[in-house]
DNA sequence: GTCCAGGGAATCA
DNA sequence: TGATTCCATGGA
């Protein structure tokens, strides 16, 4: 495969750290020069900031790099408008958006997002990244670029003979059986990913995702928001989001006792169909700042 | 040694 | 429906 290059000139909303460290993805790693390298589908790409421009270079299977980047980085969406709208809600939103102003929500592969967030359950980000890297290295396809070896995220077919024990040995812990069962369900067609991609009814898609082993409300919402399903109205509630929502708006003495339905209702009322974006600014702000 | 992590499933009321 | 408890693992 031939190396391709694409230069994104002076994007208004685009920051490498905000995009790759805000918790939505697990396969992008910072390089010594401050650029980031990542693998998605069968693409290996490095993004480097040059002045106010961003230089993408890498290899991609069938297709041109520019089109893939346009889609993956959600470049057709107007984030300036979204940020302006959310900033009007209150000063907390204004501050959190100011902190994460370069965030864009990636259109990640549905299958990879499902598995990644099943692994994320009761786990921490460095360890999630390690597990996903070992999964790819063990079962994915090898891609060489720029003198280094990279591995694609394994497809359901590439995992069809993997046992629960082998997942456990990769360090998945109690998530081994969930990963095994979900992979099996998809291979057997009990959940059809193409059908989910086509279905415009968010409730139906969410309910279907919830039938997968290891997919509960929070994981389902992360899949809906961070994959190419791209539902911006969902509001994934994890420990950090519960914490920040309680601190800012609810102020219960015991944050762990806050009712999830109360948080959901509040999010819907305040943020409406942009709740997912609001959630991401708040998550990143509370976790990093 | 203890606590915690982008929670889910099983169990019980 | 709603609340509790257990689930591996590695880093702080």
């Amino acid at each position: 495969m031939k190396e391709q290059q694409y230069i994104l000139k002076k994007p208004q909303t685009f920051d490498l750290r905000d995009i790759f460290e805000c918790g939505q993805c697990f396969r992008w790693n910072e390089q010594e020069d401050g650029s980031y390298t990542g693998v998605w589908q069968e693409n290996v790409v490095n993004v480097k900031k040059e002045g106010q421009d961003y230089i993408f270079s890498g290899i991609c299977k069938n297709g041109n790099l520019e089109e893939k980047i346009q889609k993956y980085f959600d470049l057709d969406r107007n984030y300036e408008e979204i940020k302006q709208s959310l900033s009007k809600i209150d000063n907390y939103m204004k501050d959190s958006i100011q902190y994460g102003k370069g965030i864009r929500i990636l259109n990640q592969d549905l299958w990879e997002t499902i598995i990644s967030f099943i692994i994320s359950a009761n786990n921490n980000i460095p360890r999630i990244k390690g597990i996903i890297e070992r999964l790819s290295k063990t079962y994915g396809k090898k891609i060489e670029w720029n003198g280094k070896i990279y591995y694609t995220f394994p497809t359901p077919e590439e995992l069809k003979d993997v046992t629960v024990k082998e997942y456990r040995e990769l360090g998945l812990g109690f998530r081994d059986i969930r990963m095994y069962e979900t992979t099996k369900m998809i291979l057997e067609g009990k959940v059809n990913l193409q059908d989910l991609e086509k279905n415009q009814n968010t409730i139906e898609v969410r309910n279907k995702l919830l039938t997968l082993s290891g997919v509960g409300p929070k994981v389902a919402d992360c899949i809906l928001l961070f994959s190419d399903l791209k539902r911006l109205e969902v509001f994934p509630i994890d420990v950090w989001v519960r914490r920040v929502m309680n601190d800012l708006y609810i102020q219960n003495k015991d944050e762990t006792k806050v009712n999830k339905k109360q948080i959901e209702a509040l999010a819907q009322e305040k943020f409406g169909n942009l709740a997912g974006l609001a959630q991401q600014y708040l998550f990143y702000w509370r976790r990093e700042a």
Side-chain angles (χ1 to χ4, degrees):
Chain A
M1 280 181 278
K2 209 179 115 192
E3 173 165 317
Q4 299 185 42
Q5 199 176 80
Y6 169 63
I7 300 177
L8 179 62
K9 300 204 175 203
K10 289 190 183 181
Q12 287 194 322
T13 300
F14 200 99
D15 180 83
L16 298 177
R17 194 186 123 76
D18 291 347
I19 292 171
F20 297 130
E21 309 286 352
C22 75
Q24 62 175 324
C25 57
F26 305 103
R27 297 208 70 196
W28 286 89
N29 298 305
E30 188 176 13
Q31 309 299 302
E32 286 183 3
D33 63 355
S35 69
Y36 277 79
T37 300
V39 181
W40 83 95
Q41 293 168 344
E42 297 194 21
N43 314 311
V44 180
V45 171
N46 174 270
V47 198
K48 187 174 169 58
K49 186 172 185 182
E50 285 277 350
Q52 294 185 63
D53 301 334
Y54 289 86
I55 301 179
F56 297 79
S57 54
I59 49 178
C60 73
K61 198 179 178 185
N62 50 43
N64 82 42
L65 188 63
E66 177 174 351
E67 278 176 24
K68 298 206 184 260
I69 284 166
Q70 198 81 17
K71 173 67 182 163
Y72 184 75
F73 286 89
D74 207 28
L75 294 182
D76 293 329
R77 196 183 308 278
N78 187 341
Y79 280 77
E80 292 301 311
E81 202 174 282
I82 291 172
K83 287 186 288 185
Q84 203 172 70
S85 166
L86 285 173
S87 289
K88 289 178 190 161
I89 294 171
D90 58 32
N91 282 329
Y92 298 134
M93 280 314 301
K94 200 171 173 181
D95 289 349
S96 68
I97 288 170
Q98 184 53 36
Y99 181 79
K101 58 180 181 293
I103 291 178
R104 303 188 77 87
I105 306 296
L106 301 168
N107 288 305
Q108 303 183 78
D109 177 75
L110 176 55
W111 158 251
E112 177 176 340
T113 310
I114 290 172
I115 297 302
S116 296
F117 281 91
I118 286 174
I119 294 168
S120 79
N122 197 231
N123 211 341
N124 58 65
I125 292 177
R127 187 162 166 250
I128 298 165
K129 291 180 76 168
I131 293 170
I132 292 173
E133 222 36 56
R134 290 194 292 280
L135 259 178
S136 302
K137 192 166 184 175
T138 310
Y139 304 110
K141 286 183 280 293
K142 198 184 281 191
I143 299 181
E144 189 177 345
W145 177 60
N146 223 359
K148 279 189 175 178
I149 306 289
Y150 299 88
Y151 297 88
T152 61
F153 190 85
T155 62
E157 290 72 24
E158 285 167 336
L159 296 176
K160 71 177 163 56
D161 296 323
V162 181
T163 63
V164 176
K165 183 164 174 286
E166 288 171 313
Y167 287 136
R168 178 61 63 96
E169 283 163 0
L170 277 182
L172 269 88
F174 60 83
R175 308 160 195 85
D176 55 359
I177 184 77
R178 301 174 179 178
M179 165 129 190
Y180 175 84
E181 287 178 348
T182 284
T183 303
K184 203 167 114 186
M185 286 177 74
I186 287 169
L187 282 169
E188 288 172 350
K190 289 183 178 165
V191 172
N192 184 311
L193 301 184
Q194 282 76 40
D195 288 349
L196 293 184
E197 303 268 10
K198 282 184 283 187
N199 193 336
Q200 293 303 303
N201 185 325
T202 300
I203 306 293
E204 280 182 19
V205 177
R206 191 173 191 270
N207 285 336
K208 200 71 188 174
L209 288 171
L210 288 172
T211 66
L212 294 169
S213 178
V215 178
K218 188 270 174 182
V219 169
D221 287 341
C222 283
I223 296 167
L224 285 164
L225 179 59
F226 299 138
S227 79
D228 43 26
L229 295 175
K230 199 44 82 262
R231 300 304 209 276
L232 300 185
E233 71 272 27
V234 300
F235 195 79
I237 301 169
D238 70 341
V239 292
W240 294 98
V241 174
R242 185 182 64 195
R243 203 166 285 157
V244 69
M245 289 296 280
N246 186 56
D247 288 353
L248 300 183
Y249 303 116
I250 301 172
Q251 292 158 351
N252 191 311
K253 281 178 212 162
D254 186 353
E255 163 248 314
T256 65
K257 303 280 186 203
V258 181
N259 191 294
K260 277 186 80 172
K261 287 201 165 180
Q262 186 186 356
I263 301 179
E264 264 171 32
L266 186 62
Q268 195 52 233
E269 173 200 325
K270 280 189 167 299
F271 312 128
N273 62 358
L274 294 176
L277 265 301
Q279 179 272 162
Q280 201 53 23
Y281 292 119
L282 290 171
F283 172 85
Y284 184 49
W285 180 52
R286 175 60 205 248
R287 208 175 145 265
E288 303 269 331

